[in-house]
Amino acid sequence: PVAPDDGTTLVISTQPPSSAVAGATWTVAVEVHDGAGNVNTAATDLVSVVLSSGTGALNGAVLSQTAVGGVATFDGLTVTTVGSGKQVTASAAGMSSATTTAVTVSHAEAASLVVASELDSSFVAGEDSSMSVNVVDAYGNLVTTGVQADVSVALYQGTGVLQGTSTVTAVAGVASFAGLSVETAGSGKRVAVTATDLSSAVSATFGIVPAAAASVRMAAEPASEVGAGVAFGVSCELLD
């Protein structure tokens, strides 16, 4: 038999799946080949893998290891960022590298809510503002497909009541709330966002300023009887 030459190139012998859910694990195996295309079973080179194409990062307990019998096997690899065209490149000192076929990563199941756009930081009592909420998986990816969550909003902190449509169904992972208002002036108000079986979220603080004066109210009446020439006072309030 002909003994293999020293390793000169790397070859992917086990490819990743063409599609995978974010967080799901898969395996890539890399062989050390000699110039004649044989596996160099005596090779003990240190082989490393990295995500070389597509967004995100390659995760795994072991991303660099010594070849055993000319093969380096990487189990438990995963990518948690959705997108297509993700490829892994294997490299070793003094050898030609090798790149896998592409993987398309899709989102995992819905896990939590994230406020994507906030209400105005300050707006007038009774006037409308809007906000949007994203439904995301455990890795922060927008859950664009599957059953869409019914998302609800309510005043969580501060006085008053949040007016407007308080529950909407997400569309492609986004719940959009328009026409929200609060009639009670004050600062430090926050909105809580909830949905069944999903982790909730809380908005940033916002303030409500009084609207333009619309009426006058007597705040302090004069005494029912006063002597002639005796001064008395009254107090009035302007109301929006």
Side-chain angles (χ1 to χ4, degrees):
V2 177
D5 299 328
D6 291 340
T8 59
T9 189
L10 300 178
V11 173
I12 306 294
S13 57
T14 300
Q15 297 281 355
S18 59
S19 61
V21 173
T25 58
W26 28 273
T27 297
V28 168
V30 183
E31 294 177 347
V32 180
H33 282 204
D34 63 18
N38 303 303
V39 178
N40 183 0
T41 56
T44 58
D45 300 270
L46 182 67
V47 181
S48 300
V49 289
V50 65
L51 193 69
S52 56
S53 178
T55 56
L58 184 65
N59 302 298
V62 177
L63 299 180
S64 293
Q65 62 176 303
T66 301
V68 177
V71 181
T73 301
F74 298 87
D75 294 316
L77 299 179
T78 184
V79 175
T80 59
T81 305
V82 299
S84 60
K86 301 178 190 294
Q87 293 177 283
V88 174
T89 293
S91 60
M95 297 187 194
S96 299
S97 61
T99 299
T100 69
T101 53
V103 182
T104 296
V105 177
S106 58
H107 63 73
E109 293 183 355
S112 60
L113 303 173
V114 175
V115 177
S117 64
E118 300 278 358
L119 294 166
D120 295 325
S121 60
S122 178
F123 54 104
V124 175
E127 293 190 358
D128 292 343
S129 187
S130 60
M131 67 183 298
S132 64
V133 178
N134 288 350
V135 181
V136 300
D137 64 15
Y139 309 102
N141 301 303
L142 190 65
V143 178
T144 56
T145 61
V147 177
Q148 296 293 293
D150 292 329
V151 182
S152 299
V153 292
L155 198 65
Y156 166 76
Q157 178 179 299
T159 56
V161 176
L162 187 66
Q163 307 284 347
T165 302
S166 60
T167 300
V168 301
T169 300
V171 176
V174 180
S176 299
F177 295 87
L180 298 179
S181 65
V182 179
E183 296 181 351
T184 306
S187 60
K189 301 179 190 291
R190 303 176 79 184
V191 169
V193 183
T194 58
T196 301
D197 296 329
L198 301 181
S199 297
S200 60
V202 177
S203 75
T205 58
F206 62 94
I208 301 296
V209 297
S215 61
V216 177
R217 179 176 67 188
M218 188 71 70
E221 301 277 357
S224 59
E225 292 185 13
V226 294
V230 176
F232 61 90
V234 295
S235 176
C236 298
E237 294 178 339
L238 295 177
L239 303 179
D240 62 10

